[in-house]
Amino acid sequence: MSCPIAIAVSSVQAALNDAQWDALIIVASDFTAVTELQAAIHAAAAIDSRIGKETVLLLSEKAPGQRLVLSPTGPLDRDYDDVRSFYDAAKQGIAQAKAAGAKAPALYTIVPDSDAYQYAAEVAYLGACQALWQPLEGREARGEAVLEPVSQIGVIGVSEQQASYISAVEAGKRVARDLCGTEPERMAPRRFADYCVETFAGTDVLVSVETKVDVLQKDYPLLMAVARCSLQVDRHKPAVIRLEYQGEGEIEQTLLFAGKGLVYDTGGADLKIGGGMAGMSRDKGGAAAVAGFLKTVALLKPKGLKIIAEIGAVRNSIGADAFVPDEIITSHAGVRVRIGNTDAEGRLVLADLLSHLREDAKTAVNPTLYSIATLTGHAARAVGPYSALVENGAARRIGLSADLAMIGDLWADPSEISRSRREDFSFIKGRTSADDLLSCNNAPSSVTPRGHQFPMAFLVAAAGLDQHGLNTEQPLPYCHMDIAGSGVDGGDWQHGKPSAAPVAALAAYYCL
């Protein structure tokens, strides 16, 4: 489970003189500033009009391995340009270098004098690693060295400390991609747990896994309603994975994460039809991101920080024992929930996890709660390829989502902020004296007004977090992160590479 290590390189000249590198990738909007290679670039531009317009590979005696890759970012000074231009260009550049046989390329970014691009070199490295990643089951079947021959990337212009940091971020993103992007049998619930146990072995992250059905039925009743039909198949039985980290020194802040780990979502009794089931092995992207962030934390070892995470690894199967709409199930927080749609299963899993974390938060130092999930098609439709952040009043008071969105913009891990409103809480109210809450309506979220906001209201109420609002003695900041739009490259949930959102933003916010 290794990733290409970032190696700090002091300058372009140092890369040209170092035999350990076998290619030079230049990412820039304008290549005229590369004085060491100007003759070669000008000569190529005289006969190739693609220079500066698209990614090209040049033969250059001065370049390491005689491979020179020019990957243009395009304009960087328009109102809407951002650092993703470097991320995308680096993906193109590394693909060319790899195809040409390079195994240890150096990466040089020419960065504008702008705060918006202050981490462009680091972001370019992360983009390159995104392009190089290959699926776990592919690596296992064909060999990691065959599919991922690039073992290190020289990052020109960063310090050794910066190189170590981005290597740790990439290690976390790699864990997230592996867990999210792997097919449903290879990453069945308990194999998901096994991966976590293996990846955190020998680190400061403690892993505990609960698989006893009777314990889960008692402590996670909503989660187990989703898992009920899966109990008929031993390898599909659920697991709750708890990850805990405590940094050195006095604890200054506690983070609590709930991760939706639907290893496969058939939709249950509200079955996905018309091809809508394909790609649902990636419905565990939220849980994958939680584990990925903890991997980065395990490597960076931030002081004064405590993290508790719970992951619900569950399969929503279809069969005679599947849960159905109209059932009323009492959550861990003691709230009676009427099921509105079995394909709105993720919020049921998260609600019980959040209820347990709420109990931890009540005695924690400076707690903040998160849920991360590929929760709604509405989020993808409403904000496109961005993570949707919906926060409660306590989180909004401290500017949590605004800060996360701002730092995400700097690290090519952007978000959009959505407000939680009174209509969301009205929408999920119980309709009879028999139930307290309705989990969902029976229409797709993508055609439901406020289809990614009202699920956050459900999570607040079903997990008991409504008892910790601004008007209470113990307000608990809480932010729900819906990554249905940002979780895979290009929005292709069956074939696209998992993006590992929002690992980079969380790491920069809490560990940088």
Side-chain angles (χ1 to χ4, degrees):
M1 294 187 291
S2 61
C3 61
I5 302 299
I7 306 295
V9 181
S10 60
S11 65
V12 172
Q13 193 61 52
L16 297 178
N17 295 333
D18 192 337
Q20 75 173 306
W21 310 117
D22 60 8
L24 176 63
I25 304 166
I26 303 177
V27 179
S29 62
D30 181 2
F31 299 106
T32 59
V34 190
T35 57
E36 297 88 346
L37 296 165
Q38 270 310 293
I41 294 173
H42 279 305
I47 62 168
D48 191 342
S49 61
R50 296 175 303 161
I51 304 296
K53 298 177 182 177
E54 59 185 84
T55 300
V56 296
L57 170 67
L58 305 179
L59 175 66
S60 171
E61 292 184 359
K62 287 188 175 183
Q66 299 187 61
R67 301 180 181 100
L68 175 61
V69 178
L70 305 180
S71 194
T73 62
L76 298 171
D77 58 354
R78 297 169 297 189
D79 289 356
Y80 52 86
D81 290 318
D82 62 51
V83 76
R84 286 175 296 171
S85 295
F86 283 93
Y87 187 91
D88 295 339
K91 289 168 67 176
Q92 296 292 326
I94 201 79
Q96 286 270 19
K98 177 185 174 183
K103 296 183 179 179
L107 179 63
Y108 179 47
T109 55
I110 301 176
V111 184
D113 184 16
S114 167
D115 287 345
Y117 299 107
Q118 60 186 290
Y119 300 115
E122 294 93 329
V123 164
Y125 162 79
L126 294 175
C129 290
Q130 175 74 12
L132 292 172
W133 176 86
Q134 297 298 317
L136 173 64
E137 62 265 50
R139 304 196 312 263
E140 292 174 340
R142 307 180 191 280
E144 190 165 300
V146 174
L147 294 183
E148 295 183 334
V150 177
S151 59
Q152 61 182 19
I153 298 174
V155 186
I156 297 172
V158 303
S159 67
E160 291 186 5
Q161 184 179 9
Q162 290 169 309
S164 295
Y165 173 79
I166 55 178
S167 292
V169 173
E170 172 53 29
K173 294 186 71 173
R174 184 176 178 86
V175 165
R177 287 192 292 261
D178 278 0
L179 288 169
C180 176
T182 301
E183 58 95 8
E185 291 297 334
R186 173 60 184 87
M187 206 56 75
R190 297 182 183 186
R191 298 189 76 181
F192 189 113
D194 291 342
Y195 184 105
C196 289
V197 170
E198 180 182 350
T199 201
F200 292 112
T203 74
D204 292 334
V205 174
L206 303 178
V207 184
S208 57
V209 181
E210 184 58 73
T211 59
K212 295 177 183 176
V213 171
D214 57 340
V215 174
L216 293 173
Q217 287 173 331
K218 175 178 177 293
D219 291 342
Y220 300 87
L222 291 176
L223 180 153
M224 287 302 287
V226 177
R228 192 166 72 201
C229 193
S230 72
L231 300 180
Q232 301 173 19
V233 181
D234 190 62
R235 67 183 186 278
H236 293 166
K237 289 180 179 178
V240 171
I241 305 150
R242 187 174 171 97
L243 309 174
E244 298 181 69
Y245 167 84
Q246 183 163 322
E248 293 182 1
E250 184 178 353
I251 299 304
E252 299 174 1
Q253 186 167 28
T254 306
L255 307 179
L256 304 104
F257 288 92
K260 174 190 170 184
L262 263 292
V263 301
Y264 203 74
D265 179 21
T266 69
D270 285 305
L271 191 67
K272 295 180 184 291
I273 60 173
M277 204 182 298
M280 284 300 103
S281 60
R282 271 89 180 285
D283 208 14
K284 53 190 183 301
V290 169
F293 174 56
L294 265 293
K295 178 65 174 182
T296 295
V297 167
L299 294 171
L300 295 176
K301 301 181 179 181
K303 297 180 179 179
L305 183 65
K306 181 175 181 177
I307 303 176
I308 303 171
E310 288 206 357
I311 289 169
V314 180
R315 180 173 172 124
N316 186 17
S317 296
I318 180 66
D321 201 26
F323 79 121
V324 296
D326 297 343
E327 288 189 36
I328 297 175
I329 303 162
T330 302
S331 74
H332 175 263
V335 180
R336 291 173 61 82
V337 175
R338 184 183 293 274
I339 304 303
N341 188 324
T342 67
D343 198 17
E345 80 300 323
R347 68 202 65 180
L348 304 177
V349 173
L350 289 172
D352 280 342
L353 301 176
L354 280 170
S355 181
H356 283 265
L357 294 170
R358 170 180 55 86
E359 294 297 324
D360 292 312
K362 286 160 65 173
T363 57
V365 176
N366 191 20
T368 301
L369 294 102
Y370 288 93
S371 54
I372 309 180
T374 51
L375 204 68
T376 67
H378 189 275
R381 175 161 291 190
V383 303
Y386 298 86
S387 299
L389 310 183
V390 193
E391 62 191 349
N392 70 355
R396 185 165 179 260
R397 182 171 64 181
I398 62 174
L400 179 61
S401 288
D403 288 345
L404 281 170
M406 179 178 67
I407 204 160
D409 283 348
L410 299 177
W411 283 91
D413 195 1
S415 303
E416 294 282 0
I417 301 172
S418 296
R419 288 284 301 276
S420 177
R421 300 287 191 178
R422 64 181 187 176
E423 289 85 357
D424 304 325
F425 287 85
S426 297
F427 191 87
I428 53 95
K429 284 182 179 178
R431 305 299 199 264
T432 76
S433 61
D435 48 276
D436 300 314
L437 298 177
L438 178 67
S439 68
C440 189
N441 59 337
N442 55 11
S445 70
S446 57
V447 298
T448 300
R450 304 191 60 79
H452 74 273
Q453 291 99 326
F454 84 79
M456 178 270 191
F458 173 82
L459 290 172
V460 167
L465 286 171
D466 54 347
Q467 304 303 310
H468 296 278
L470 284 176
N471 62 338
T472 67
E473 293 183 2
Q474 191 180 25
L476 294 176
Y478 164 58
C479 180
H480 171 60
M481 311 179 84
D482 193 331
I483 60 169
S486 61
V488 295
D489 284 351
D492 182 351
W493 279 96
Q494 186 173 20
H495 305 295
K497 288 186 179 182
S499 68
V503 172
L506 289 169
Y509 192 53
Y510 290 111
C511 302
L512 185 60

